[in-house]
Structure formats: C-alpha cells, structure tokens
Amino acid sequence: SEKAVSASGNTSASEDLGFLAVRTISFALIKTLYFCPMIHDSFTAKKVAEFLLQINAIKLEPKNPFTWASGWQSPIYCDNRIALSYPAIRNYLREQMAKQIEEIYGKPDAIAGVATGAIGLGALVAEQLNLPFVYVRPKPKAYGRQNQIEGWLEPNSTVVVIEDLISTGKSSLQAVDALRDFGANIKGMLAIFSYNFPVAQDNFELSKVQLNTLSNYEHLLEQALESGHINATDAELLKSWRLSPETWKP
C-alpha cells in the first residue's frame, strides 16, 4: 500500500489486492465528523467500506429503498457473506480481525463465530491466530446432542466472538449469553460492520460486552461519497435514515 499526506493534513492511500485497487481519499487524520468509539482503526474502516461497496456486499439505494424483515424501509442492504467469495478481501478481513483482536483484547483461548453469517469468517480468524474455533447457534438443536455451541470449548476459556453485522445486537448477544452459560469468559466481540444504532450501544453496555467493528455506517458514508458511489443528495438521505430508521421514508 502507498500513503501520501498533504499540507492540509489529509491523507490518501491506495491498496492493490490483485483484481481490486482500492483508493481512500481526503481522510483527515486529526479531524473527524463522527465520534466512533467502536472503531479501532479509521483508515482500515474506510478501506473495508470500499471493499464491501465494490463487491456489492453493501448496496446503497437511497431513492429505491429495501424493506427489512422488521418492516423498516432502508436505503442500505448489507450481506457481508459475499466477501467470502473474494479471496483477497476475505484474507484482508481475516488479517485485520486477527490483528485487532490481539491489539484490543489480547489473544484469547478460543474464537467463537455467531451462526450463520460469521461461521466462515470466524474459522478464518481462528486459523490466523492458531486458536480453537466454535460456533454458536441461535438456539439448541431440537435433535441429536441438542448442542447450541458446536465444537469443543474448554471450560473457563477466554473467548472473542466474531460477528459479520451488528444492527440492534440482540442476536449477537444471545450467542454471548450461551457462551457465558457454558462458563466462557467473553473478552469482547469484533464484527465487520455496524449501523451504529444507539439501541445496539445500549444493549452491549447493558450486557457488559465490549464491541468493536472493522467499519461502520459513518465511515461507509464518508468513503462512498469520496469515491463516487453516492452524491451529496444521496448522502443526506442516508444520514437522515440513520437518525430515525423506524420511521424513515425516501
């Protein structure tokens, strides 16, 4: 990768990952429009956002919104599992997650993935760190051994949980509850992306779980605007959704 810093304090960088060339531009090192306590590395956050936009893992349609299962109209649709189909991107996500786990939480005894979206990525991260891996179902199976946690986990293990996407955090924290019921010590959760809904922050604080994400909604909008995926009018519509997603209309 190459970086350049201008006299105004802005930095631009390019990264060549084989078939993808990603460029993040005009990112201020000392001034930010958002307070993002869950983001460990803002430069990585924008790069991850660009990757997800390029492969259509994240789609932005502010004038033709999607309808979520909850009934909400949304100008964004996120399916990070698509990243697993792109070796260069999945390797980057694996490496960045492994790096941030060690920097933020310290190396745990095991990695747990939240089923089903984070099973693949969680296994990749565990491989990178040379750690045991388990995954957690939404609820125990109704047959066989009736497991909710699949794989072997030593009692009292320290665990970092991997997730692909954080919306309200409810399903992610159900996995944490299952691990805690088993006796695991949860060091934290690391996800690819978060919408940064206040309800998610409240839920994680209530459950006493530290949440960090590689990227989030604010960094996504900055990168999408700078790289031409959206225009200024689109950006305003996308920002308005984030303020009141349950009542938003285009």
Side-chain angles (χ1 to χ4, degrees), residues 84-115:
L84 294 173
S85 299
Y86 294 83
I89 293 178
R90 75 176 182 232
N91 289 340
Y92 181 79
L93 296 175
R94 177 196 69 198
E95 291 163 3
Q96 290 302 312
M97 282 197 148
K99 177 183 176 184
Q100 291 196 19
I101 284 170
E102 293 194 294
E103 291 177 350
I104 298 169
Y105 312 109
K107 193 170 182 178
D109 296 323
I111 298 294
V114 179

Side-chain angles (χ1 to χ4, degrees), residues 121-141:
L121 182 61
L124 290 171
V125 172
E127 178 68 16
Q128 181 77 12
L129 292 169
N130 193 30
L131 290 174
F133 174 73
V134 300
Y135 70 87
V136 187
R137 297 175 179 274
K139 57 184 180 180
K141 289 193 299 186

Side-chain angles (χ1 to χ4, degrees), residues 2 11 32 63-65 85 131 153 156-157 159-160 175 181 184 192 223 226 236 238 241 250:
E2 298 178 354
T11 185
T32 179
K63 298 182 180 70
N64 186 27
S85 299
L131 290 174
L153 186 64
N156 303 314
S157 294
V159 175
V160 171
D181 288 344
I192 298 175
Q223 182 61 27
E226 291 169 3
E236 290 305 312
L238 287 157
W241 172 79

Side-chain angles (χ1 to χ4, degrees), residues 129-247:
L129 292 169
N130 193 30
L131 290 174
F133 174 73
V134 300
Y135 70 87
V136 187
R137 297 175 179 274
K139 57 184 180 180
K141 289 193 299 186
Y143 55 90
R145 298 176 65 185
Q146 299 181 333
N147 291 339
Q148 184 169 7
I149 299 172
E150 297 287 3
W152 174 253
L153 186 64
E154 290 282 352
N156 303 314
S157 294
T158 58
V159 175
V160 171
V161 182
I162 300 298
E163 181 62 288
D164 67 329
L165 175 66
I166 303 295
S167 53
T168 65
K170 182 179 178 181
S171 60
S172 306
L173 290 169
Q174 287 175 345
V176 169
D177 290 341
L179 289 162
R180 283 175 168 167
D181 288 344
F182 179 81
N185 175 17
I186 306 301
K187 302 193 78 171
M189 183 179 295
L190 182 61
I192 298 175
F193 185 81
S194 171
Y195 296 113
N196 268 12
F197 292 142
V199 65
Q201 182 175 344
D202 292 343
N203 287 338
F204 276 87
E205 288 179 356
L206 186 64
S207 295
K208 295 181 171 56
V209 177
Q210 180 178 346
L211 172 66
N212 292 85
T213 62
L214 293 185
S215 191
N216 63 11
Y217 195 70
E218 287 77 14
H219 285 83
L220 171 71
L221 293 193
E222 289 180 22
Q223 182 61 27
L225 183 60
E226 291 169 3
S227 56
H229 293 280
I230 58 174
N231 58 35
T233 301
D234 294 333
E236 290 305 312
L237 281 171
L238 287 157
K239 288 177 184 177
S240 68
W241 172 79
R242 171 61 182 75
L243 294 175
S244 185
E246 68 277 5
T247 59

